[in-house]
Amino acid sequence: MLPAPPGQRRLALGVACLLLAVFLATLPFARIGWFHLPAFVLTQKTLMLVSDLITSALLFGQYSIGRLHAFNILAGGYLFTALIAVPHTLTFPEVLSQTGLLGAGPQTAAYLYIAAHAALPLTIIAAALQRKHADTASDPTDGVIGSIAGMVLAIIVAVAATTLLVTRGHQWLPPLIDNGYFTSEARIAVGALLALPLAALLLLARTARPLSTLDLWLIVTMLAWLCTIALGAFISRGRYDIGWYVGSFFDFLTSIFVLLILISQIILLYERQASAAAASQRLRERRINEMEAVLIHLSRVSELGQNVSSLIHEVNQPLTAISNYLAAAMQFLAASNTVRLKGVLQQSAEQAARATEIIRHLRDFIAGHDSEKRADNIPEMLRNAVSLALLGIDPPIPAIEMRLSSVAPSAFFDRVQIEQVVFNLVRNAIEAMGDSERRVLTITTRLTADNMVEISVADTGPGLSPAIRAQLFEPFVTTKAGGLGVGLSICRVIVEAHGGRLYAEDNPKGGTVFRFALPPSAR
């Protein structure tokens, strides 16, 4: 049991002060007779029955979780208080019959009141002593159900025995009430009864260190119990006095203090669990996003890394050309041939620009950070991606057909990520057509019926077998000897993150068509 937070301490102190204030304010009027309303007893006892039963059930639940025997004892006390309210109501004069049911006599209800108000303080004392001597001890898990069942059975037997004793043997018991007024014997009995909640209060205050939230509100309950008994059966003259009514109201309050705190603790627990679950979900989503970003980056590096020698050759071509042009320029300069010098220098600049463009594309493509989604030009993105995909491809290069719709010139996407998707699809298409007689790569754009920009990459290769098609987009599934099998899986993740869907279908002209859609730039 966790220590009570400062807020709970202040609240409990405020409630205790309010109880004492009402108690003191009632004292001058406690012995004044008021409305004769037996139905009040039925209402009050019904409310107490319900609240005490719920409190008992919650405490049994606490016991089943924590397995501290003190919870089982407290639950038994609240169960006794709840169940004893039934015979108390049935035997109370004028509530359900003139003299009470169950063969009750004039003293039966009074003695049941004594029993009801003695049981809970006794169980609190027992629980506090048990916890003091065995604070860390807990019952075995397999014995919890048996302990709860035993406690419930013992309480039922105790209530039945108490009821039987005070109904069948009431004539042998000293009279506590005479014509609705309390006798001197009642004052003695109630005076002795007051010692029980006082002892429970002092024991909790001394032994419970630090005070848990439950301990704190049990102390408030016992304080209210003292006010209840003092006003309702000691200070007032008899039933239906103002003191008796206020004491009965205090009686009801004692049944809800612990109930409310247990419910609030359960709500707090659920709130913490919900917050922890939400935080865990956010953490998992963040880690998944981080892993996806890493995989996307590794996929780019892997695709280019498998052809690094060819890429080096591709960059080396313009560099070699520049070197040759500069050598020729030196010769033309020596011969003062400015016309030819201007031409080779211009060609050198063109080759330098080509090398710079190749390097820029490679740098952007394998950069560890991606650009953000924004409205961008579709044809330009496709041309860049195709140019990058053709780097290092051995001739003959397949025929490239680009059929770009004029009504779908732009879309809303992440430039680098969608270039990677097109790069992967084009590379796969070229490799699929490696042994085909007819090698045509067709890239098409169109505006779909739902206003999405669809991009398709079609090849004239052998097509996909049913076995490969069934697991085409699953990670680590590949037909390449040195492939990682993450390319199409990463492409699917990227496209779905853009609100689209990547799928494959047969090309009517032979081969396969991969299609995906992007949101329009007007979004």
Side-chain angles (χ1 to χ4, degrees), residues 379-432:
E380 181 184 347
M381 179 274 295
L382 292 175
R383 284 192 289 270
N384 288 341
V386 171
S387 298
L388 195 62
L390 292 177
L391 292 178
I393 297 297
D394 296 328
I397 296 175
I400 307 294
E401 295 183 1
M402 301 189 75
R403 303 171 182 173
L404 308 181
S405 172
S406 59
V407 297
S410 63
F412 189 78
F413 60 93
D414 184 312
R415 176 69 172 264
V416 175
Q417 288 190 353
I418 297 302
E419 276 190 5
Q420 179 178 354
V421 172
V422 177
F423 174 92
N424 282 330
L425 296 180
V426 170
R427 273 297 181 95
N428 289 345
I430 293 173
E431 292 175 2

Side-chain angles (χ1 to χ4, degrees), residues 6 54 117 216 334 449 504 516:
I54 297 174
H117 288 79
L216 186 65
F516 67 93

Side-chain angles (χ1 to χ4, degrees), residues 22-23 26 51 259 278 414-415 496:
V22 174
F23 174 78
T26 308
S51 59
L259 172 60
D414 184 312
R415 176 69 172 264
E496 289 179 352

Side-chain angles (χ1 to χ4, degrees), residues 60-83:
F60 277 129
Q62 291 279 344
Y63 170 60
S64 66
I65 296 171
R67 293 181 289 115
L68 291 175
H69 196 59
F71 284 122
N72 197 30
I73 297 173
L74 284 175
Y78 273 95
L79 181 61
F80 184 94
T81 306
L83 296 182

Side-chain angles (χ1 to χ4, degrees), residues 312-333:
I312 292 173
H313 173 71
E314 189 73 21
V315 176
N316 191 54
Q317 285 182 342
L319 294 179
T320 302
I322 291 170
S323 178
N324 293 334
Y325 286 137
L326 290 177
M330 294 295 292
Q331 295 176 3
F332 294 140
L333 181 63

